[in-house]
Amino acid sequence: MVDYNFKKSEDFALKLDLEDPLACFRRRFHIPEDVIYLDGNSLGLLSKEAEESVHRVINEWRNWGIKGWIEGSHPWFYFAETLGNLCARLVGAEPAEVVATGSTTVNIHSLVNTFYQPNESRKRILADALTFPTDIYALRSALRLRDLDPGKNLVFAPSVENRFLDEDQIVEMMDNRVALVFLPSVLYRSGQLLDMQKLTENAHKRGIPIGFDCSHSVGVVPHYFDKWRVDFALWCSYKYLNGGPGATAFLYVNKRHFDREPALAGWFGYVKEKQFDLAIEFEHSESAGGWQISSPPILSSAPLEGSLKIILEAGIDAIREKSLKLTSYLVYLIEEVLSHHPTISR
Ligand SMILES: *Cc1c(COP(=O)(O)O)cnc(C)c1O
């Protein structure tokens, strides 16, 4: 733990604000009046940059109609890949390994069904029961699609106090009956950040592919997917990425898997240069883009261009540093002030 040398006084808190290298970014967001907004983990706020990129796309549609797909400085036909390139820098991936597409749950269906390849002895999916329920619904339906009983084949890592997971216990469950591990990066109930590198190393030692739902970590925590050799990942963009309600999600596929057949094929996953040959045989792009299904929702993707640029400008390491410092200060104040408060202390 860093020793921040915190003090209780208001002067000290104001001094921290003055010294904060990220304080200037506050002005670039629209902040609802009279609230202290602590819901960025559920819906991030609108930035001026995101507002501008939405207006630009609206203008393109107004001025060009269908030509917007291929004309202008940001042709829509390549927009999913362009946003993927920006986001790849946030998660330690190569540009071709990330694409903006679908929604979190659709991407779980698409990637889990791609990477879950059960055989006679290995049928289990290892997950955790503390994760966001939609993840569990999707895993159960992947099993049912293969006529496998979710009651038997979906196994959950034991939780500690219904709030935390112990990585060592998860690793213990990675036995030769497990065909896939799928976990969240952060448990939304407790904020616990799992050690993705350790989990990936251990899954791979046992020959098991592993994927992560990073909805609660991308945008606030640095990721090194390539270095960790994570097989696949996906995340939403309306929480810490500030992409707006229901904005297009992202997915990551490690390049060593580019030759895999996407489980949910669609024409936007076709080899880009030949998509408009409109051939009847599907030939998927050898990139994360191969896992696209439909025409990209340009209006729900537009804000991401502005919002990702802000995050990249601030720098994910600086964001993480500030987040740790803010939280440490809150914990310090709770311990120093509230726990001695006569009506609040336990
Ligand atoms: C926010 C979140 C989702 C949301 O799913 P959508 O398909 O985007 O509605 C799913 N999983 C996790 C872990 C989340 O945090």
Side-chain angles (χ1 to χ4, degrees):
M1 260 326 244
V2 187
D3 185 4
Y4 292 110
N5 255 319
F6 289 138
K7 297 187 177 64
K8 279 184 281 189
S9 66
E10 187 177 351
D11 281 351
F12 180 78
L14 291 169
K15 184 171 147 280
L16 287 181
D17 274 348
L18 272 180
E19 292 167 353
D20 173 12
L22 298 184
C24 52
F25 283 89
R26 187 179 168 84
R27 285 194 302 276
R28 291 162 65 175
F29 285 83
H30 296 284
I31 301 175
E33 263 175 61
D34 301 327
V35 295
I36 296 174
Y37 196 82
L38 294 176
D39 280 318
N41 63 315
S42 189
L43 180 65
L45 291 175
L46 174 65
S47 62
K48 291 172 186 167
E49 274 87 343
E51 193 175 21
E52 274 165 29
S53 50
V54 171
H55 284 153
R56 193 199 71 232
V57 169
I58 293 276
N59 285 333
E60 289 166 354
W61 182 20
R62 182 200 291 133
N63 297 333
W64 298 336
I66 194 172
K67 287 186 176 163
W69 282 105
I70 42 166
E71 288 193 0
S73 55
H74 308 74
W76 306 333
F77 187 60
Y78 303 102
F79 202 44
E81 288 82 4
T82 305
L83 294 175
N85 292 354
L86 286 174
C87 206
R89 288 160 54 191
L90 268 186
V91 294
E94 288 179 19
E97 292 175 315
V98 179
V99 71
T101 190
S103 65
T104 323
T105 311
V106 168
N107 293 345
I108 297 174
H109 283 293
S110 159
L111 291 174
V112 162
N113 282 291
T114 301
F115 283 88
Y116 177 55
Q117 301 289 345
N119 58 33
E120 265 319 300
S121 53
R122 285 186 191 261
K123 291 196 176 62
R124 289 186 168 181
I125 298 179
L126 172 58
D128 77 289
L130 299 180
T131 192
F132 201 70
T134 196
D135 297 43
I136 304 296
Y137 307 156
L139 295 176
R140 285 208 191 98
S141 71
L143 290 162
R144 275 193 231 99
L145 279 170
R146 290 171 166 84
D147 281 333
L148 292 171
D149 178 3
K152 284 198 202 122
N153 295 297
L154 179 59
V155 292
F156 296 123
S159 80
V160 185
E161 297 166 7
N162 248 329
R163 295 171 65 206
F164 304 105
L165 294 174
D166 176 344
E167 283 100 346
D168 291 330
Q169 287 184 331
I170 303 177
V171 170
E172 266 172 43
M173 291 185 72
M174 295 177 182
D175 59 25
N176 55 15
R177 290 168 295 181
V178 175
L180 178 75
V181 182
F182 184 66
L183 294 164
S185 51
V186 165
L187 295 181
Y188 77 104
R189 292 159 193 264
S190 57
Q192 181 188 0
L193 172 63
L194 292 181
D195 186 337
M196 288 179 265
Q197 179 168 23
K198 172 174 168 171
L199 291 165
T200 304
E201 277 169 14
N202 280 284
H204 288 172
K205 263 188 220 157
R206 294 157 181 82
I208 312 170
I210 183 165
F212 291 96
D213 183 333
C214 296
S215 292
H216 276 279
S217 57
V218 174
V220 273
V221 174
H223 297 65
Y224 304 96
F225 288 150
D226 278 354
K227 190 173 140 227
W228 300 338
R229 296 179 58 75
V230 166
D231 294 287
F232 68 95
L234 49 100
W235 55 98
C236 74
S237 62
Y238 45 76
K239 292 168 184 161
Y240 296 115
L241 291 184
N242 309 318
T248 310
F250 286 92
L251 62 79
Y252 162 89
V253 176
N254 188 290
K255 62 176 183 289
R256 66 183 185 277
H257 299 305
F258 282 173
D259 59 347
R260 287 195 183 226
E261 197 63 27
L264 308 186
W267 78 307
F268 260 82
Y270 208 89
V271 176
K272 209 93 190 144
E273 300 73 38
K274 297 198 282 185
Q275 181 176 342
F276 276 87
D277 292 356
L278 302 175
I280 205 94
E281 291 300 328
F282 180 58
E283 191 184 329
H284 67 91
S285 164
E286 300 234 335
S287 68
W291 276 263
Q292 291 176 89
I293 300 171
S294 297
S295 308
I298 300 298
L299 294 179
S300 318
S301 307
L304 283 163
E305 189 188 320
S307 66
L308 284 171
K309 283 183 179 159
I310 293 195
I311 295 174
L312 289 169
E313 185 187 327
I316 194 66
D317 292 319
I319 291 173
R320 177 66 174 155
E321 198 180 316
K322 172 164 177 176
S323 150
L324 288 173
K325 195 169 177 185
L326 261 179
T327 309
S328 304
Y329 193 43
L330 180 67
V331 171
Y332 165 86
L333 289 175
I334 289 171
E335 279 168 1
E336 290 295 313
V337 183
L338 293 188
S339 52
H340 303 300
H341 194 284
T343 58
I344 297 174
S345 64
R346 276 165 287 166

